Amino acid sequence: MNDQNERWQAAERLALALTAGGLQRMSARTLAMFLFTDAETVTMGDIAERLGASAGSVSGAVKALLSVGLIERLPAPGSRREHYRLRDDVWATLFTGQNTIIETMLQAARNGMDATAADDPAHHRLVQMHDFYHFLLGEIPALLQRWNQEQRHTDH
């Protein structure tokens, strides 16, 4: 029992780190639960019970994690409840999901550049912002390709 308690305390610490990194609290706790569970799949009821959370807050967290592709819904023949699991390629999915944020930052920089004169110090800072995010977006495909190659050669 003590090992299980330590396991779930570690999950809660991870959730705090994810929250500090910008994830909503319940989404972070739900993601941590998916990482630490030993079950093949879980239902929203399982999540609510494990986290001591309301069905509504769990539903919102599951929808958020589904929308960015971190978890997936699975068919569960004979069950009236929907089953979910963490995607196998979750971290690469999360990283590529960040492309939306990068695109948003690029557009914000473009809008700022359009609203400022070329000799304005703000314009110069916005150009640097734009150039950084443009560079980052261009690097993602090669980075993910190297990650996939590394995964093929690693035995865990």
Side-chain angles (χ1 to χ4, degrees):
M1 189 76 132
N2 191 28
D3 289 339
Q4 280 294 87
N5 189 34
E6 289 176 22
R7 176 188 194 99
W8 292 111
Q9 285 178 4
E12 288 294 339
R13 285 190 300 274
L14 175 63
L16 287 173
L18 293 170
T19 301
L23 208 56
Q24 292 290 328
R25 184 171 186 268
M26 187 50 67
S27 294
R29 291 185 73 213
T30 302
L31 180 56
M33 199 267 344
F34 275 103
L35 287 164
F36 279 84
T37 187
D38 53 4
E40 192 71 25
T41 66
V42 295
T43 66
M44 282 196 212
D46 297 331
I47 297 166
E49 182 179 328
R50 171 74 252 161
L51 300 180
S54 72
S57 63
V58 169
S59 176
V62 166
K63 285 179 186 172
L65 296 175
L66 278 169
S67 73
V68 294
L70 297 179
I71 63 173
E72 59 188 354
R73 185 179 296 126
L74 298 172
S79 176
R80 293 184 341 177
R81 294 186 175 161
E82 293 183 330
H83 290 250
Y84 304 90
R85 72 172 176 200
L86 195 66
R87 289 179 55 132
D88 288 335
D89 57 349
V90 65
W91 304 117
T93 299
L94 177 62
F95 196 71
T96 57
Q98 295 300 311
N99 288 356
T100 303
I101 293 171
I102 294 170
E103 286 291 346
T104 299
M105 297 301 282
L106 275 168
Q107 188 57 51
R110 282 187 211 107
N111 292 344
M113 290 163 48
D114 290 346
T116 57
D119 61 347
D120 186 330
H123 185 85
H124 175 72
R125 289 188 297 267
L126 291 160
V127 167
Q128 285 182 321
M129 176 184 172
H130 177 273
D131 291 350
F132 172 77
Y133 282 106
H134 182 75
F135 171 81
L136 189 60
L137 189 61
E139 291 296 308
I140 289 173
L143 184 62
L144 289 175
Q145 183 178 19
R146 287 196 320 266
W147 167 252
N148 288 329
Q149 288 171 345
E150 177 73 22
Q151 287 304 105
R152 284 192 292 270
H153 299 299
T154 305
D155 293 328
H156 287 282

